[in-house]
Amino acid sequence: MEKMKLQSGHVLTALEGEELAKQNKDWEGYPEGLVRLSPGRWLFPTKYKLYADKFYNFKFRSTDTVIVTYPKCGTTWAQEIVWTMKYNPDLNHPDALDFLLARSPFL
């Protein structure tokens, strides 16, 4: 079983065998597999291991606005509303039609 220690002290373990088969049955869309972050037992797509340390070391600026939502509960909608309130209250900002992820990055 592949394990990887992260700078945060957590350990990533690749899911294999029966556990991976069960997750793939319930969570389609992760053809590259899943990893478990411990402690905590969180599941992430395998590509998370490429970015985990970068996320851990990310430095927020004092001017950043952080939006935190539960999965599948309107994250995109919340991003649009917050961006509009902050940058486009008169609904005439020239960047308003740009791709959302260019205006409101998603970690």
Side-chain angles (χ1 to χ4, degrees):
M1 185 172 283
E2 178 187 340
K3 291 189 178 205
M4 177 180 170
K5 180 122 176 154
L6 301 176
Q7 291 177 9
S8 65
H10 292 87
V11 175
L12 282 179
T13 307
L15 267 61
E16 298 176 336
E18 188 177 315
E19 185 178 22
L20 179 60
K22 181 182 183 310
Q23 293 298 330
N24 284 339
K25 178 180 168 263
D26 296 332
W27 298 93
E28 297 176 5
Y30 299 104
E32 295 155 4
L34 295 164
V35 293
R36 183 176 305 286
L37 184 68
S38 298
R41 297 188 44 81
W42 299 301
L43 287 178
F44 289 95
T46 298
K47 284 191 174 185
Y48 176 75
K49 66 184 176 183
L50 301 174
Y51 306 101
D53 289 331
K54 292 178 184 178
F55 290 157
Y56 179 72
N57 292 310
F58 186 83
K59 302 290 184 217
F60 289 98
R61 297 175 295 206
S62 61
T63 57
D64 286 340
T65 301
V66 178
I67 302 168
V68 180
T69 64
Y70 289 103
K72 308 305 288 176
C73 73
T75 303
T76 303
W77 180 69
Q79 286 175 275
E80 285 286 4
I81 288 175
V82 171
W83 187 88
T84 299
M85 289 171 59
K86 190 170 180 179
Y87 299 106
N88 195 19
D90 297 325
L91 303 178
N92 60 0
H93 196 288
D95 295 338
L97 296 178
D98 287 354
F99 187 55
L100 177 62
L101 289 179
R103 295 180 285 121
S104 178
F106 182 82
L107 297 181

